PDB file of all heavy atoms in Angstrom:
ATOM      1  N   PRO A 283     -20.310 -13.751  -4.868  1.00  0.00           N
ATOM      2  CA  PRO A 283     -21.592 -13.275  -5.323  1.00  0.00           C
ATOM      3  C   PRO A 283     -22.249 -14.282  -6.207  1.00  0.00           C
ATOM      4  O   PRO A 283     -21.662 -15.051  -7.039  1.00  0.00           O
ATOM      5  CB  PRO A 283     -21.079 -12.056  -6.232  1.00  0.00           C
ATOM      6  CG  PRO A 283     -19.768 -12.060  -6.377  1.00  0.00           C
ATOM      7  CD  PRO A 283     -19.138 -12.903  -5.295  1.00  0.00           C
ATOM      8  N   SER A 408     -14.435   0.764 -13.946  1.00  0.00           N
ATOM      9  CA  SER A 408     -14.852   0.287 -12.631  1.00  0.00           C
ATOM     10  C   SER A 408     -13.556   0.087 -11.713  1.00  0.00           C
ATOM     11  O   SER A 408     -13.094  -1.082 -11.644  1.00  0.00           O
ATOM     12  CB  SER A 408     -15.684  -1.168 -12.732  1.00  0.00           C
ATOM     13  OG  SER A 408     -16.901  -0.903 -13.186  1.00  0.00           O
ATOM     14  N   GLY A 411     -14.872  -0.885  -7.610  1.00  0.00           N
ATOM     15  CA  GLY A 411     -16.285  -1.273  -7.565  1.00  0.00           C
ATOM     16  C   GLY A 411     -16.849  -0.714  -8.922  1.00  0.00           C
ATOM     17  O   GLY A 411     -16.100  -0.150  -9.507  1.00  0.00           O
ATOM     18  N   ALA A 412     -18.204  -1.085  -9.081  1.00  0.00           N
ATOM     19  CA  ALA A 412     -18.876  -0.633 -10.309  1.00  0.00           C
ATOM     20  C   ALA A 412     -19.284   0.865 -10.018  1.00  0.00           C
ATOM     21  O   ALA A 412     -20.334   1.181  -9.993  1.00  0.00           O
ATOM     22  CB  ALA A 412     -20.061  -1.469 -10.551  1.00  0.00           C
ATOM     23  N   PHE A 421     -15.402  -0.253  -3.175  1.00  0.00           N
ATOM     24  CA  PHE A 421     -14.217  -0.911  -2.360  1.00  0.00           C
ATOM     25  C   PHE A 421     -13.282   0.225  -2.074  1.00  0.00           C
ATOM     26  O   PHE A 421     -13.125   1.205  -2.802  1.00  0.00           O
ATOM     27  CB  PHE A 421     -13.727  -2.008  -3.036  1.00  0.00           C
ATOM     28  CG  PHE A 421     -14.733  -3.184  -3.035  1.00  0.00           C
ATOM     29  CD1 PHE A 421     -15.610  -3.396  -4.164  1.00  0.00           C
ATOM     30  CD2 PHE A 421     -14.854  -4.093  -1.945  1.00  0.00           C
ATOM     31  CE1 PHE A 421     -16.471  -4.362  -4.134  1.00  0.00           C
ATOM     32  CE2 PHE A 421     -15.729  -5.077  -1.926  1.00  0.00           C
ATOM     33  CZ  PHE A 421     -16.561  -5.243  -3.138  1.00  0.00           C
ATOM     34  N   LYS A 438     -11.894 -11.172  -4.073  1.00  0.00           N
ATOM     35  CA  LYS A 438     -13.277 -11.306  -3.848  1.00  0.00           C
ATOM     36  C   LYS A 438     -13.867  -9.864  -4.102  1.00  0.00           C
ATOM     37  O   LYS A 438     -15.048  -9.873  -4.680  1.00  0.00           O
ATOM     38  CB  LYS A 438     -13.547 -11.662  -2.339  1.00  0.00           C
ATOM     39  CG  LYS A 438     -13.237 -13.065  -2.046  1.00  0.00           C
ATOM     40  CD  LYS A 438     -13.838 -13.637  -0.862  1.00  0.00           C
ATOM     41  CE  LYS A 438     -15.319 -13.870  -0.900  1.00  0.00           C
ATOM     42  NZ  LYS A 438     -15.611 -14.906  -1.942  1.00  0.00           N
ATOM     43  N   SER A 439     -13.182  -8.811  -3.943  1.00  0.00           N
ATOM     44  CA  SER A 439     -13.673  -7.553  -4.207  1.00  0.00           C
ATOM     45  C   SER A 439     -13.781  -7.357  -5.750  1.00  0.00           C
ATOM     46  O   SER A 439     -14.803  -6.775  -6.270  1.00  0.00           O
ATOM     47  CB  SER A 439     -12.800  -6.316  -3.629  1.00  0.00           C
ATOM     48  OG  SER A 439     -11.680  -6.122  -4.449  1.00  0.00           O
ATOM     49  N   ALA A 440     -12.821  -7.898  -6.407  1.00  0.00           N
ATOM     50  CA  ALA A 440     -12.907  -7.916  -7.892  1.00  0.00           C
ATOM     51  C   ALA A 440     -14.041  -8.808  -8.479  1.00  0.00           C
ATOM     52  O   ALA A 440     -14.701  -8.401  -9.472  1.00  0.00           O
ATOM     53  CB  ALA A 440     -11.638  -8.347  -8.529  1.00  0.00           C
ATOM     54  N   GLU A 441     -14.380  -9.839  -7.744  1.00  0.00           N
ATOM     55  CA  GLU A 441     -15.455 -10.657  -8.138  1.00  0.00           C
ATOM     56  C   GLU A 441     -16.889  -9.830  -8.051  1.00  0.00           C
ATOM     57  O   GLU A 441     -17.732  -9.874  -8.944  1.00  0.00           O
ATOM     58  CB  GLU A 441     -15.604 -11.944  -7.250  1.00  0.00           C
ATOM     59  CG  GLU A 441     -14.623 -12.941  -7.582  1.00  0.00           C
ATOM     60  CD  GLU A 441     -14.771 -14.199  -6.742  1.00  0.00           C
ATOM     61  OE1 GLU A 441     -15.282 -14.151  -5.586  1.00  0.00           O
ATOM     62  OE2 GLU A 441     -14.341 -15.278  -7.218  1.00  0.00           O
ATOM     63  N   VAL A 442     -16.909  -9.206  -6.971  1.00  0.00           N
ATOM     64  CA  VAL A 442     -18.246  -8.362  -6.703  1.00  0.00           C
ATOM     65  C   VAL A 442     -18.197  -7.260  -7.861  1.00  0.00           C
ATOM     66  O   VAL A 442     -19.189  -6.937  -8.431  1.00  0.00           O
ATOM     67  CB  VAL A 442     -18.251  -7.788  -5.266  1.00  0.00           C
ATOM     68  CG1 VAL A 442     -19.338  -6.734  -5.201  1.00  0.00           C
ATOM     69  CG2 VAL A 442     -18.326  -8.700  -4.253  1.00  0.00           C
ATOM     70  N   THR A 443     -17.036  -6.643  -8.051  1.00  0.00           N
ATOM     71  CA  THR A 443     -17.002  -5.548  -9.010  1.00  0.00           C
ATOM     72  C   THR A 443     -17.375  -6.058 -10.478  1.00  0.00           C
ATOM     73  O   THR A 443     -18.163  -5.404 -11.122  1.00  0.00           O
ATOM     74  CB  THR A 443     -15.574  -5.019  -9.081  1.00  0.00           C
ATOM     75  OG1 THR A 443     -15.198  -4.474  -7.781  1.00  0.00           O
ATOM     76  CG2 THR A 443     -15.419  -3.819 -10.080  1.00  0.00           C
ATOM     77  N   ALA A 444     -16.847  -7.327 -10.741  1.00  0.00           N
ATOM     78  CA  ALA A 444     -17.298  -7.834 -11.973  1.00  0.00           C
ATOM     79  C   ALA A 444     -18.657  -8.094 -12.107  1.00  0.00           C
ATOM     80  O   ALA A 444     -19.348  -7.704 -13.145  1.00  0.00           O
ATOM     81  CB  ALA A 444     -16.457  -9.167 -12.224  1.00  0.00           C
ATOM     82  N   ALA A 445     -19.206  -8.707 -11.067  1.00  0.00           N
ATOM     83  CA  ALA A 445     -20.740  -9.046 -11.120  1.00  0.00           C
ATOM     84  C   ALA A 445     -21.503  -7.878 -11.223  1.00  0.00           C
ATOM     85  O   ALA A 445     -22.506  -7.807 -12.015  1.00  0.00           O
ATOM     86  CB  ALA A 445     -21.146  -9.964 -10.009  1.00  0.00           C
ATOM     87  N   GLU A 446     -21.220  -6.730 -10.528  1.00  0.00           N
ATOM     88  CA  GLU A 446     -22.110  -5.536 -10.457  1.00  0.00           C
ATOM     89  C   GLU A 446     -21.893  -4.659 -11.797  1.00  0.00           C
ATOM     90  O   GLU A 446     -22.752  -3.881 -12.077  1.00  0.00           O
ATOM     91  CB  GLU A 446     -21.711  -4.761  -9.262  1.00  0.00           C
ATOM     92  CG  GLU A 446     -22.113  -5.580  -7.954  1.00  0.00           C
ATOM     93  CD  GLU A 446     -22.275  -4.783  -6.616  1.00  0.00           C
ATOM     94  OE1 GLU A 446     -22.028  -3.569  -6.747  1.00  0.00           O
ATOM     95  OE2 GLU A 446     -22.648  -5.483  -5.670  1.00  0.00           O
ATOM     96  N   THR A 447     -20.649  -4.839 -12.424  1.00  0.00           N
ATOM     97  CA  THR A 447     -20.490  -4.177 -13.679  1.00  0.00           C
ATOM     98  C   THR A 447     -21.276  -4.870 -14.719  1.00  0.00           C
ATOM     99  O   THR A 447     -22.035  -4.301 -15.544  1.00  0.00           O
ATOM    100  CB  THR A 447     -19.005  -4.104 -14.097  1.00  0.00           C
ATOM    101  OG1 THR A 447     -18.210  -3.485 -13.006  1.00  0.00           O
ATOM    102  CG2 THR A 447     -18.733  -3.277 -15.407  1.00  0.00           C
ATOM    103  N   ARG A 448     -21.034  -6.164 -14.760  1.00  0.00           N
ATOM    104  CA  ARG A 448     -21.926  -6.921 -15.769  1.00  0.00           C
ATOM    105  C   ARG A 448     -23.416  -6.950 -15.637  1.00  0.00           C
ATOM    106  O   ARG A 448     -24.165  -7.072 -16.535  1.00  0.00           O
ATOM    107  CB  ARG A 448     -21.383  -8.350 -15.670  1.00  0.00           C
ATOM    108  CG  ARG A 448     -21.557  -9.292 -16.977  1.00  0.00           C
ATOM    109  CD  ARG A 448     -20.496  -9.083 -17.981  1.00  0.00           C
ATOM    110  NE  ARG A 448     -20.913  -9.477 -19.327  1.00  0.00           N
ATOM    111  CZ  ARG A 448     -20.297 -10.497 -20.003  1.00  0.00           C
ATOM    112  NH1 ARG A 448     -19.214 -10.974 -19.685  1.00  0.00           N
ATOM    113  NH2 ARG A 448     -20.705 -10.722 -21.195  1.00  0.00           N
ATOM    114  N   ALA A 449     -23.784  -6.679 -14.385  1.00  0.00           N
ATOM    115  CA  ALA A 449     -25.150  -6.590 -14.107  1.00  0.00           C
ATOM    116  C   ALA A 449     -25.816  -5.414 -14.893  1.00  0.00           C
ATOM    117  O   ALA A 449     -27.030  -5.157 -15.209  1.00  0.00           O
ATOM    118  CB  ALA A 449     -25.502  -6.359 -12.641  1.00  0.00           C
ATOM    119  N   ALA A 450     -24.963  -4.410 -15.200  1.00  0.00           N
ATOM    120  CA  ALA A 450     -25.411  -3.253 -16.001  1.00  0.00           C
ATOM    121  C   ALA A 450     -25.434  -3.475 -17.431  1.00  0.00           C
ATOM    122  O   ALA A 450     -25.807  -2.770 -18.312  1.00  0.00           O
ATOM    123  CB  ALA A 450     -24.564  -2.063 -15.618  1.00  0.00           C
ATOM    124  N   ILE A 452     -22.517  -4.291 -18.985  1.00  0.00           N
ATOM    125  CA  ILE A 452     -21.066  -3.950 -19.436  1.00  0.00           C
ATOM    126  C   ILE A 452     -20.060  -4.971 -19.165  1.00  0.00           C
ATOM    127  O   ILE A 452     -19.788  -5.406 -18.056  1.00  0.00           O
ATOM    128  CB  ILE A 452     -20.621  -2.604 -18.620  1.00  0.00           C
ATOM    129  CG1 ILE A 452     -21.677  -1.532 -18.862  1.00  0.00           C
ATOM    130  CG2 ILE A 452     -19.294  -2.139 -19.143  1.00  0.00           C
ATOM    131  CD1 ILE A 452     -21.525  -0.281 -18.103  1.00  0.00           C
ATOM    132  N   PRO A 453     -19.450  -5.475 -20.231  1.00  0.00           N
ATOM    133  CA  PRO A 453     -18.497  -6.575 -20.137  1.00  0.00           C
ATOM    134  C   PRO A 453     -16.986  -6.372 -20.062  1.00  0.00           C
ATOM    135  O   PRO A 453     -16.275  -7.186 -19.942  1.00  0.00           O
ATOM    136  CB  PRO A 453     -18.809  -7.380 -21.388  1.00  0.00           C
ATOM    137  CG  PRO A 453     -19.180  -6.350 -22.461  1.00  0.00           C
ATOM    138  CD  PRO A 453     -19.785  -5.176 -21.680  1.00  0.00           C
ATOM    139  N   ASN A 455     -13.865  -4.033 -18.323  1.00  0.00           N
ATOM    140  CA  ASN A 455     -13.505  -3.061 -17.222  1.00  0.00           C
ATOM    141  C   ASN A 455     -12.096  -2.655 -17.475  1.00  0.00           C
ATOM    142  O   ASN A 455     -11.227  -3.274 -17.506  1.00  0.00           O
ATOM    143  CB  ASN A 455     -13.714  -3.900 -15.815  1.00  0.00           C
ATOM    144  CG  ASN A 455     -13.310  -2.909 -14.699  1.00  0.00           C
ATOM    145  OD1 ASN A 455     -13.195  -1.578 -14.920  1.00  0.00           O
ATOM    146  ND2 ASN A 455     -13.179  -3.389 -13.507  1.00  0.00           N
ATOM    147  N   MET A 489      -6.694  -9.431  -8.785  1.00  0.00           N
ATOM    148  CA  MET A 489      -7.814  -8.615  -9.588  1.00  0.00           C
ATOM    149  C   MET A 489      -8.290  -9.197 -10.850  1.00  0.00           C
ATOM    150  O   MET A 489      -9.309  -9.414 -11.135  1.00  0.00           O
ATOM    151  CB  MET A 489      -7.340  -7.139  -9.713  1.00  0.00           C
ATOM    152  CG  MET A 489      -6.958  -6.398  -8.481  1.00  0.00           C
ATOM    153  SD  MET A 489      -8.389  -6.341  -7.209  1.00  0.00           S
ATOM    154  CE  MET A 489      -9.476  -5.296  -8.144  1.00  0.00           C
ATOM    155  N   ARG A 491      -7.848 -12.381 -11.867  1.00  0.00           N
ATOM    156  CA  ARG A 491      -8.685 -13.666 -11.638  1.00  0.00           C
ATOM    157  C   ARG A 491     -10.105 -13.337 -11.122  1.00  0.00           C
ATOM    158  O   ARG A 491     -11.050 -13.937 -11.434  1.00  0.00           O
ATOM    159  CB  ARG A 491      -7.919 -14.549 -10.623  1.00  0.00           C
ATOM    160  CG  ARG A 491      -8.530 -15.916 -10.295  1.00  0.00           C
ATOM    161  CD  ARG A 491      -8.693 -16.769 -11.517  1.00  0.00           C
ATOM    162  NE  ARG A 491      -7.546 -16.909 -12.347  1.00  0.00           N
ATOM    163  CZ  ARG A 491      -7.381 -16.483 -13.691  1.00  0.00           C
ATOM    164  NH1 ARG A 491      -8.537 -15.992 -14.243  1.00  0.00           N
ATOM    165  NH2 ARG A 491      -6.303 -16.495 -14.351  1.00  0.00           N
ATOM    166  N   GLY A 492     -10.213 -12.289 -10.312  1.00  0.00           N
ATOM    167  CA  GLY A 492     -11.480 -11.957  -9.698  1.00  0.00           C
ATOM    168  C   GLY A 492     -12.432 -11.418 -10.746  1.00  0.00           C
ATOM    169  O   GLY A 492     -13.638 -11.747 -10.820  1.00  0.00           O
ATOM    170  N   TYR A 493     -11.896 -10.619 -11.693  1.00  0.00           N
ATOM    171  CA  TYR A 493     -12.769 -10.036 -12.744  1.00  0.00           C
ATOM    172  C   TYR A 493     -13.130 -11.027 -13.730  1.00  0.00           C
ATOM    173  O   TYR A 493     -14.282 -11.181 -14.112  1.00  0.00           O
ATOM    174  CB  TYR A 493     -11.957  -8.930 -13.592  1.00  0.00           C
ATOM    175  CG  TYR A 493     -11.701  -7.568 -12.751  1.00  0.00           C
ATOM    176  CD1 TYR A 493     -10.611  -6.846 -13.096  1.00  0.00           C
ATOM    177  CD2 TYR A 493     -12.611  -7.101 -11.909  1.00  0.00           C
ATOM    178  CE1 TYR A 493     -10.316  -5.583 -12.407  1.00  0.00           C
ATOM    179  CE2 TYR A 493     -12.389  -5.900 -11.244  1.00  0.00           C
ATOM    180  CZ  TYR A 493     -11.297  -5.177 -11.439  1.00  0.00           C
ATOM    181  OH  TYR A 493     -10.966  -4.084 -10.837  1.00  0.00           O
ATOM    182  N   GLN A 494     -12.061 -11.864 -14.169  1.00  0.00           N
ATOM    183  CA  GLN A 494     -12.286 -12.812 -15.357  1.00  0.00           C
ATOM    184  C   GLN A 494     -12.709 -14.168 -14.998  1.00  0.00           C
ATOM    185  O   GLN A 494     -13.329 -14.842 -15.822  1.00  0.00           O
ATOM    186  CB  GLN A 494     -11.043 -12.858 -16.136  1.00  0.00           C
ATOM    187  CG  GLN A 494     -10.596 -11.474 -16.699  1.00  0.00           C
ATOM    188  CD  GLN A 494      -9.485 -11.604 -17.939  1.00  0.00           C
ATOM    189  OE1 GLN A 494      -9.397 -10.624 -18.540  1.00  0.00           O
ATOM    190  NE2 GLN A 494      -8.982 -12.744 -17.991  1.00  0.00           N
ATOM    191  N   GLY A 495     -12.523 -14.562 -13.723  1.00  0.00           N
ATOM    192  CA  GLY A 495     -12.704 -16.049 -13.410  1.00  0.00           C
ATOM    193  C   GLY A 495     -12.131 -16.981 -14.444  1.00  0.00           C
ATOM    194  O   GLY A 495     -11.055 -16.675 -14.937  1.00  0.00           O
ATOM    195  N   SER A 500     -19.292 -15.961 -18.480  1.00  0.00           N
ATOM    196  CA  SER A 500     -20.191 -16.025 -17.375  1.00  0.00           C
ATOM    197  C   SER A 500     -20.869 -14.721 -17.220  1.00  0.00           C
ATOM    198  O   SER A 500     -20.241 -13.707 -17.271  1.00  0.00           O
ATOM    199  CB  SER A 500     -19.484 -16.321 -16.040  1.00  0.00           C
ATOM    200  OG  SER A 500     -18.710 -17.508 -16.249  1.00  0.00           O
ATOM    201  N   PRO A 501     -22.138 -14.753 -16.848  1.00  0.00           N
ATOM    202  CA  PRO A 501     -22.763 -13.385 -16.611  1.00  0.00           C
ATOM    203  C   PRO A 501     -22.374 -12.645 -15.463  1.00  0.00           C
ATOM    204  O   PRO A 501     -22.795 -11.390 -15.188  1.00  0.00           O
ATOM    205  CB  PRO A 501     -24.310 -13.899 -16.365  1.00  0.00           C
ATOM    206  CG  PRO A 501     -24.234 -15.206 -15.944  1.00  0.00           C
ATOM    207  CD  PRO A 501     -22.955 -15.902 -16.399  1.00  0.00           C
ATOM    208  N   ASP A 502     -21.449 -13.156 -14.583  1.00  0.00           N
ATOM    209  CA  ASP A 502     -20.910 -12.241 -13.546  1.00  0.00           C
ATOM    210  C   ASP A 502     -19.387 -12.031 -13.755  1.00  0.00           C
ATOM    211  O   ASP A 502     -18.727 -11.742 -12.695  1.00  0.00           O
ATOM    212  CB  ASP A 502     -21.204 -12.923 -12.134  1.00  0.00           C
ATOM    213  CG  ASP A 502     -20.519 -14.322 -12.183  1.00  0.00           C
ATOM    214  OD1 ASP A 502     -20.043 -14.867 -13.082  1.00  0.00           O
ATOM    215  OD2 ASP A 502     -20.803 -14.985 -11.112  1.00  0.00           O
ATOM    216  N   ARG A 503     -18.886 -12.058 -14.936  1.00  0.00           N
ATOM    217  CA  ARG A 503     -17.431 -11.902 -15.129  1.00  0.00           C
ATOM    218  C   ARG A 503     -17.245 -10.676 -16.172  1.00  0.00           C
ATOM    219  O   ARG A 503     -18.123 -10.534 -17.130  1.00  0.00           O
ATOM    220  CB  ARG A 503     -16.802 -13.016 -15.625  1.00  0.00           C
ATOM    221  CG  ARG A 503     -16.784 -14.225 -14.691  1.00  0.00           C
ATOM    222  CD  ARG A 503     -15.957 -13.903 -13.292  1.00  0.00           C
ATOM    223  NE  ARG A 503     -16.075 -15.095 -12.558  1.00  0.00           N
ATOM    224  CZ  ARG A 503     -15.541 -15.200 -11.286  1.00  0.00           C
ATOM    225  NH1 ARG A 503     -14.715 -14.289 -10.957  1.00  0.00           N
ATOM    226  NH2 ARG A 503     -15.654 -16.207 -10.553  1.00  0.00           N
ATOM    227  N   VAL A 504     -16.133  -9.962 -16.098  1.00  0.00           N
ATOM    228  CA  VAL A 504     -15.834  -8.993 -17.197  1.00  0.00           C
ATOM    229  C   VAL A 504     -14.417  -9.296 -17.573  1.00  0.00           C
ATOM    230  O   VAL A 504     -13.564  -9.883 -16.824  1.00  0.00           O
ATOM    231  CB  VAL A 504     -15.992  -7.579 -16.500  1.00  0.00           C
ATOM    232  CG1 VAL A 504     -17.417  -7.140 -16.283  1.00  0.00           C
ATOM    233  CG2 VAL A 504     -15.082  -7.344 -15.324  1.00  0.00           C
ATOM    234  N   ALA A 505     -14.075  -8.664 -18.761  1.00  0.00           N
ATOM    235  CA  ALA A 505     -12.709  -8.656 -19.208  1.00  0.00           C
ATOM    236  C   ALA A 505     -11.920  -7.599 -18.450  1.00  0.00           C
ATOM    237  O   ALA A 505     -12.315  -6.451 -18.319  1.00  0.00           O
ATOM    238  CB  ALA A 505     -12.710  -8.389 -20.761  1.00  0.00           C
TER     239      ALA A 505
END
Side-chain angles (χ1 to χ4, degrees):
S408 288
F421 291 93
K438 291 196 75 65
S439 79
E441 286 183 333
V442 173
T443 302
E446 299 196 356
T447 302
R448 200 86 198 234
I452 301 173
N455 185 10
M489 297 305 287
R491 182 60 48 241
Y493 289 149
Q494 299 198 166
S500 306
D502 56 358
R503 301 291 181 178
V504 291

